[in-house]
Structure formats: structure tokens, C-alpha cells
Amino acid sequence: MTEAAALLPRARELATAMMARCVAEIPAYQRLPASVLEGDLVANAAAVVELVLTTLDEDRAPTDDELAIAVTWGAERARDGLPLDAVLRIYPLGAQEAWRLAASEGTVGLADRLFGFLAEVMPRIAAAYLREREDIDWERREHRQNLAGNLLAGRPAHRAAERGGQTLADAYDVVVFRLPAPRRGAGTRATTDLFRAVRSELDTRREVLTTFEGDSGVLLVPATPAHSADELVARIDEVSHAACTAAVATAPAHADIPHAHAEAAEVLALAERLGRPPKLYRLADLAIEYQLAKPSPARAALAALLDPLEPHPHLIDALRAFVASGYHRGEAAAALTIHRNTLTYRLGRVHLITGYDATRPADARQLAAAMTAYDIEAHEAGKH
């Protein structure tokens, strides 16, 4: 067995290590959604590693068709918004990881041929990348992303905007959104295609400043009658073919943008933590939950109301579904896939154990607050 053949079964392991180093050492990769990094990019990297090791094992040069696949994947990184230096750095990083793995296996003779492969493929990838970049409005996208980064960090942006021909609004609605997860079984490519589709849609909104931070995107939407955060999020839902979870806060002035960003991010995290349905949230939508999210004796006391239900998780689920449905028994029973009478029985048990009747308005409000406090504390304790 050749040295290359000995490493082939570990191609996926090597690709995963390559992407982990990319994220750690190349800031541009940190802006990509984790689902894209762990899915499509690792799969692409693994295929390239397998190609390298296969050609080395067979003692031949890669064919033009084989190289074309790797070159195409490299060019696609332009559509992902990665700069060329970030795209090319992955290859020497990959070679270093391969060398480290080979050394641990006691098989280091393939080094010269490995670097020969890099010398062949990297110039082709650079050329293909530059061709791809000419086909997209790269400079404008990069400029808008830099402006968004400056404003979110509280740095002045007027001069940079003028140099790039961008007019800044006086006030912005800061939207933080999470891309919806692709349908089960859709494959690793689906997440990358979704990310690109959303980016392409946002590229058509010249006045909207956009940046991505891992799995979440941040939009600075001019707070004017001509623009609507609700309409833009609805459009992202259309492009995604699924509803995304988002939150918005208004910044009356540029100096307020970092605070609005922090508020929107906190509201989004709260909505996700509590399992709220995908939609665009404002602080007012979750004002009670927002207050309860702050540790306090009141929150602990509310959560403690449901402590007697701990041995009966099906009763907690029944109460949660009843509250989430807006106190509609039919909807709650359907969500739990149980008969309506079964739900009524379980709510009766909740009343018997806690002393609060979820079907009475005053008690229902108390139980809803207790449910929120309970879920928040459970999440923080790692129970969810």
C-alpha cells in the first residue's frame, strides 16, 4: 500500500481539520454560516483531498476534468464573499495538515508530489476566481459590508461612504436574522445555495447595508417610509422558501447602532431560546420575556411554581403547548398529537398539582409567565 493510499480513509478527517484551521486563522471564514462551513465546504475539501491522494497513489497527474471540479469550487468562494487571499490560503493550510497527519503515520515521502499538485491547481483557481469576481458586483458588496461593520462597531462611516458613492441614512432599523435550516435530507449543498440566494437578493438592495456573522446576518435598513424591515424579512423568507427568525431594533442616529444591534441580537436569542415560531420580533413582542430573562428573585419564584411538575414532563409539555397556542385546546392537542380530552385531563392535573388553573385568565397569565421563567432557567442550566 502506498503512503497516499494509507491516508485515503482519513480524507474527511483531514478536510475537517483544514476547515477548523481556516476558521481559526482566516477571519473571512468566520463570517460564513457554520452550516456552510461544516457542510458544503468540508465536503468540497474532502473531495479535493481524495483527488490529491488518489492521483498520488496512482502515480499520475490529475486530468483536466478532475482539476476542473476543484477549480470550480474555488471560484465559487467568490460568490460566498471570500477574498482571494482567503481562498488560496486554504491550500497551504491543507498541505500542512496533510504533512502533520503523514508524519504521525510515519509516511512523509509524498510531500514533494503534494506541493507539486498545489503548484498546478492554485494558479488555475486564482484565474477562475478572478473571472467569477468580474461577473458579480464585488466592489459594491464589499464596500457595503465594510460600511456595515464600521457602523456596527460605532466607528465613523461618512467619509468611507462618500468614497464609495454610498449615501447613508440618518437612522436605521437594525435587523438580525438567522437563516432557516434546509429541509431534512436536502444535502450539504442546500445550505450553501440558500446562503448565496439570500446574498444575491440583498445585493439588489443598494441602500441596505449587509454583513454576515456566522449563522446570522445583520441588515441596516434605512428607517424611512421607502424602506421596510418587515418587507425585507418577508422577501428573505420567499427566497429561502421558509420563514426565518429575526429581530429588529431602531437606531435613531448612527451612534445608536451598536446598542440597537445588541438589543436585536438579544431579542433574537430570546425568541430562539423560548422556541418561538419564526417571524420578525421587536422588543415589545417579547417585553415580558425580556424582563424575565434577567436573573432576579422574581424570575426564580415564578419558575419555582412549576417545580412540582418536574416529575411529570408530559404535563409541562401540555402546559407549554396550551400557552403557545394562545390557549386554544384544539390547536394545543393537535400540536401534541393527543386527543383534546387528554389535553383537558392533563391541564386539570396541572391545576391540581400547582394550584393554578390554565383555563382561567388570571391563573393563565401567571402560568404563562412561570412557563417562560421555567424555560429560561432550564435553558441556562443546560436542561434544554
Side-chain angles (χ1 to χ4, degrees):
M1 178 183 294
T2 67
E3 297 171 332
L7 294 178
L8 260 172
R10 303 181 69 178
R12 182 81 184 190
E13 175 189 344
L14 178 55
T16 301
M18 287 167 54
M19 294 315 306
R21 283 196 62 187
C22 283
V23 174
E25 299 181 21
I26 307 175
Y29 281 90
Q30 296 166 14
R31 300 192 192 105
L32 294 177
S35 48
V36 170
L37 291 168
E38 296 166 3
D40 196 34
L41 293 192
V42 168
N44 290 353
V48 172
V49 170
E50 289 176 359
L51 170 61
V52 174
L53 295 176
T54 297
T55 56
L56 294 181
D57 176 49
E58 297 173 358
D59 194 23
R60 64 176 177 84
T63 66
D64 286 340
D65 287 343
E66 288 172 330
L67 283 178
I69 297 172
V71 169
T72 298
W73 286 333
E76 285 180 349
R77 302 290 80 82
R79 276 180 267 158
D80 293 337
L82 293 174
L84 181 57
D85 64 320
V87 174
L88 294 182
R89 276 187 66 190
I90 190 174
Y91 292 93
L93 283 180
Q96 288 177 352
E97 289 298 324
W99 175 265
R100 182 177 292 118
L101 181 58
S104 70
E105 297 277 336
T107 56
V108 295
L110 55 78
D112 288 342
R113 298 165 68 193
L114 178 62
F115 288 117
F117 179 91
L118 295 180
E120 178 74 20
V121 75
M122 288 178 67
R124 298 195 191 195
I125 288 173
Y129 175 97
L130 292 174
R131 287 194 300 271
E132 181 70 26
R133 176 169 164 166
E134 289 176 359
D135 293 335
I136 62 177
D137 199 345
W138 176 276
E139 284 77 13
R140 183 163 65 171
R141 174 194 285 176
E142 190 171 37
H143 180 63
R144 288 162 61 214
Q145 181 169 295
N146 290 336
L147 286 178
N150 285 337
L151 291 170
L152 290 167
R155 294 190 293 266
H158 279 292
R159 289 186 180 178
E162 290 172 0
R163 287 196 297 270
Q166 181 82 32
T167 300
L168 296 180
D170 293 329
Y172 283 95
D173 286 329
V174 183
V175 178
V176 181
F177 70 96
R178 192 88 60 198
L179 291 173
R183 295 185 303 275
R184 182 176 297 179
T188 57
R189 183 76 183 187
T191 301
T192 304
D193 290 344
L194 171 60
F195 175 65
R196 289 179 182 158
V198 171
R199 286 202 70 140
S200 295
E201 173 62 29
L202 295 173
D203 283 343
T204 68
R205 313 283 180 130
R206 180 179 174 83
E207 300 84 0
V208 177
L209 305 180
T210 308
T211 187
F212 281 84
E213 300 175 350
D215 285 319
S216 65
V218 182
L219 312 175
L220 300 184
V221 184
T224 67
H227 301 86
S228 167
D230 295 83
E231 182 274 331
L232 184 53
V233 171
R235 180 58 189 148
I236 292 174
D237 289 349
E238 290 180 24
V239 171
S240 304
H241 303 292
C244 68
T245 305
V248 60
T250 299
H254 291 185
D256 301 312
I257 289 176
H259 175 76
H261 178 218
E263 178 184 304
E266 193 170 355
V267 171
L268 173 62
L270 183 60
E272 292 179 323
R273 193 186 317 164
L274 297 175
R276 295 294 191 264
K279 58 173 279 190
L280 177 63
Y281 289 92
R282 291 171 169 80
L283 179 58
D285 298 323
L286 296 171
I288 295 174
E289 292 86 348
Y290 187 87
Q291 286 301 114
L292 288 174
K294 312 297 182 185
S296 69
R299 189 183 82 175
L302 279 169
L305 293 180
L306 302 188
D307 284 349
L309 298 180
E310 283 274 6
H312 314 285
H314 63 293
L315 299 183
I316 293 177
D317 291 341
L319 177 60
R320 183 182 291 110
F322 189 53
V323 171
S325 71
Y327 309 102
H328 293 289
R329 296 188 197 219
E331 291 182 18
L336 293 168
T337 62
I338 61 175
H339 194 275
R340 182 179 174 130
N341 289 344
T342 303
L343 175 68
T344 299
Y345 171 76
R346 292 182 182 178
L347 292 177
R349 291 275 295 154
V350 170
H351 182 195
L352 182 65
I353 294 172
T354 67
Y356 290 90
D357 183 354
T359 64
R360 292 179 54 207
D363 286 2
R365 287 193 296 270
Q366 189 80 352
L367 285 171
M371 190 80 259
T372 297
Y374 177 86
D375 283 345
I376 290 171
E377 295 215 335
H379 182 275
E380 291 179 356
K383 296 179 182 179
H384 284 182

